[in-house]
Amino acid sequence: MVTDAVKSRGTMTYEVAPSGELLVHADYTFVYAVTKKHGGWEIVPGAPEAARVIVRRQVTLTPSHGRLTLRGSERRVVNADCRAPEDGYVHPLYHAATAKAPKGASLDPYAKPKPIEDIPAGCVTATRT
């Protein structure tokens, strides 16, 4: 990571289901600025290229026996290499790889949030970072 800061924006709400169960909904967008550890492109000598990866996460939790239990989870990742293996890690898309990357949907990750279901899965490129 470029700095210790991770920018985030989102909401947390709750509702009572018809069954009487409390449901907690979290919907957040996180922006991570990262650089390659070794061998990255330098914009100017000593200033490595930074990539911004945007991750939108929605989770639904419910309290159970004094703990929060995960009921559902969705995520979408923007500016990540969608050719990378599904290994649980986010693989940032750096400048040199963008020309070879599959052309997917474009998205303004900072625009008014839309339902996560409306954000395409797979290759998504940010229109601004």
Side-chain angles (χ1 to χ4, degrees):
M1 297 206 13
V2 174
T3 68
D4 292 337
V6 174
K7 304 294 182 173
S8 64
R9 177 179 68 184
T11 60
M12 186 175 286
T13 60
Y14 68 91
E15 68 176 309
V16 178
S19 64
E21 181 178 46
L22 176 66
L23 300 174
V24 179
H25 305 285
D27 185 351
Y28 283 87
T29 299
F30 301 92
V31 179
Y32 303 89
V34 296
T35 61
K36 287 186 176 183
K37 191 168 187 170
H38 301 290
W41 179 59
E42 291 187 355
I43 299 169
V44 293
E49 170 191 16
R52 285 176 179 75
V53 177
I54 299 101
V55 180
R56 169 95 178 267
R57 294 188 184 275
Q58 284 184 340
V59 296
T60 300
L61 307 159
T62 187
S64 175
H65 305 290
R67 296 184 175 178
L68 288 174
T69 303
L70 182 65
R71 293 288 302 266
S73 175
E74 290 282 335
R75 77 175 174 111
R76 297 293 189 272
V77 181
V78 177
N79 278 356
D81 190 347
C82 61
R83 299 166 299 160
E86 286 288 330
D87 58 4
Y89 293 96
V90 174
H91 299 270
L93 191 59
Y94 292 97
H95 178 75
T98 56
K100 301 176 208 163
K103 301 298 179 227
S106 295
L107 173 75
D108 181 351
Y110 304 104
K112 183 179 176 191
K114 57 171 83 175
I116 199 164
E117 300 83 20
D118 292 348
I119 300 171
C123 297
V124 181
T125 304
T127 56
R128 61 183 172 138
T129 57

